[in-house]
Amino acid sequence: MSAKPVILVTRKLPDAVEARLKRDFDPILNPTDQLYSADELIEMSAKADAILPCHTEKFTADVIARLPDNIRAIANFSVGYDHVDVDAARKKGLIVTNTPDVLSDATAEIAILLMLGAARRASEGERMVRAKQWKDWSPTFMVGTQVTGKRFGVIGMGRVGQVTANLARGFGMEIHYYNRKQLSADLECGATYHATVEDLLPHCDVLSIHCPATPETTGLLNAERLAMLPNDAIVVNTARGGVVNDDALIDALQSGKVYAAGLDVFNGEPDNIHKGYLQLENVFLLPHIGSATQETREGMGFRALDNLDAIFAGREPGDRVA
Ligand code: 8YV
């Protein structure tokens, strides 16, 4: 019997995923869920055939160059793969995969939660109740803004963007989007396509960001573009913090140009996010939990394992990105 492939699993995964890993592979697990340094990753890779990482491990060109040749693949437990230098991986002959589809519903749910939380001042209200500072009620108390019937703008109409737009339709919202390519009519479902981000922005009462983090999208939502939004727009980000220029968004939130923001992802996350957000009442902040449901985390793990199954059976993995 030939030995099973050895998989270096960088973080603690759901039990069902680890059970399948143990059945089909020879995994190096991380039961204490400690965050490995690049040096530790490289050292532990000496014994492995592939790595199953999360977005918390950064595979820069330098790290990839230092990986031992026995590593054949990086099978990510994530849809985003901006933490992997795919050009460097390709040059080294590494296969890189991601986990699309399985997290679209969970992430879309969080985008809607952020939209509603921002519009209805949920974070501010929750803090007030907990601090026992809720002293009165009046018709002008904690008045927010309504999203029903307003315009919902999407940057990046991929899988998550499409599901989120569908949920927003449930609020009678009119969908506008920017995407590198216009969707076919059956996927567009009546949404209005804008060929540039600049064309889209004036139509967004709510702007929801769903594009990947790439050099082109870094800092995309800057002061100039924020100024193109209608007054009192709401900004939602469940994609990557890097798409937003924090100083510009904080200025717009302070000036009232942007009514409120709901953010699940940040530059400098987890422990070095822009301090300006922490002082603002009109932000609803979550700790990168877009995909954090039991169902989805298991789905992501199984999808990563489907990719590894294919790679070690000599087949093309379904979700190859390099
Ligand atoms: C994950 C995500 O929690 O999949 C992604 O790209 O941002 C999150 O949903 C995380 O990346 C897991 O590695």
Side-chain angles (χ1 to χ4, degrees), residues 289-316:
I289 55 168
S291 66
T293 66
Q294 190 67 28
E295 298 88 334
T296 290
R297 289 286 158 84
E298 287 181 1
M300 292 165 74
F302 294 148
R303 189 94 177 205
L305 293 186
D306 291 346
N307 288 319
L308 285 169
D309 286 345
I311 291 165
F312 287 102
R315 287 182 279 115
E316 182 67 9

Side-chain angles (χ1 to χ4, degrees), residues 178-200:
Y178 162 76
N179 199 45
R180 275 173 306 174
K181 279 196 206 144
Q182 182 166 8
L183 302 185
S184 57
D186 58 323
L187 293 179
E188 225 174 33
C189 304
T192 304
Y193 177 63
H194 299 268
T196 65
V197 172
E198 290 74 16
D199 284 347
L200 167 74

Side-chain angles (χ1 to χ4, degrees), residues 30-244:
N30 181 358
T32 58
D33 204 24
Q34 74 182 92
L35 191 59
Y36 297 135
S37 67
D39 287 346
E40 285 169 323
L41 272 180
I42 289 158
E43 198 186 314
M44 296 172 85
S45 298
K47 298 190 195 93
D49 298 299
I51 307 176
L52 197 168
C54 292
H55 78 280
T56 43
E57 289 73 48
K58 310 293 174 215
F59 289 88
T60 60
D62 173 60
V63 170
I64 287 177
R66 290 170 61 207
L67 284 176
D69 290 339
N70 44 287
I71 295 295
R72 288 176 54 187
I74 299 174
N76 289 297
F77 181 92
S78 64
V79 65
Y81 50 90
D82 47 295
H83 57 289
V84 179
D85 187 323
V86 283
D87 290 335
R90 243 179 243 122
K91 274 189 205 126
K92 203 176 158 79
L94 284 173
I95 297 172
V96 181
T97 59
N98 71 341
T99 59
D101 302 320
V102 287
L103 41 59
S104 305
D105 291 328
T107 309
E109 285 180 5
I110 285 287
I112 296 297
L113 174 66
L114 291 171
M115 171 179 77
L116 294 176
R120 301 303 296 274
R121 304 171 59 177
S123 186
E124 192 185 339
E126 217 258 355
R127 278 195 305 274
M128 182 190 292
V129 176
R130 279 182 190 275
K132 292 186 175 277
Q133 281 166 3
W134 180 25
K135 304 286 183 209
D136 192 16
W137 182 94
S138 86
T140 53
F141 170 68
M142 284 289 300
V143 171
T145 188
Q146 196 154 310
V147 298
T148 300
K150 293 198 178 154
R151 296 167 298 177
F152 187 81
V154 175
I155 296 183
M157 197 65 144
R159 288 162 275 228
V160 181
Q162 288 171 41
V163 178
T164 311
N166 256 336
L167 296 181
R169 284 186 180 96
F171 294 95
M173 299 184 82
E174 182 184 297
I175 311 301
H176 293 255
Y177 74 100
Y178 162 76
N179 199 45
R180 275 173 306 174
K181 279 196 206 144
Q182 182 166 8
L183 302 185
S184 57
D186 58 323
L187 293 179
E188 225 174 33
C189 304
T192 304
Y193 177 63
H194 299 268
T196 65
V197 172
E198 290 74 16
D199 284 347
L200 167 74
L201 291 171
H203 302 277
C204 301
D205 297 314
V206 176
L207 172 68
S208 195
I209 300 172
H210 298 284
C211 58
T214 63
E216 295 75 47
T217 62
T218 300
L220 180 137
L221 196 60
N222 56 19
E224 203 187 344
R225 294 204 179 91
L226 281 161
M228 296 175 188
L229 286 168
N231 288 339
D232 291 328
I234 288 172
V235 172
V236 169
N237 190 7
T238 52
R240 285 291 183 266
V243 181
V244 171

Side-chain angles (χ1 to χ4, degrees), residues 1 3-5 15-27 29 302 305-306 309:
M1 196 182 80
K4 292 176 183 172
D15 290 346
V17 178
E18 293 198 345
R20 184 171 144 187
L21 263 161
K22 286 183 196 154
R23 187 191 68 191
D24 300 340
F25 296 96
D26 183 4
L29 298 176
F302 294 148
L305 293 186
D306 291 346
D309 286 345

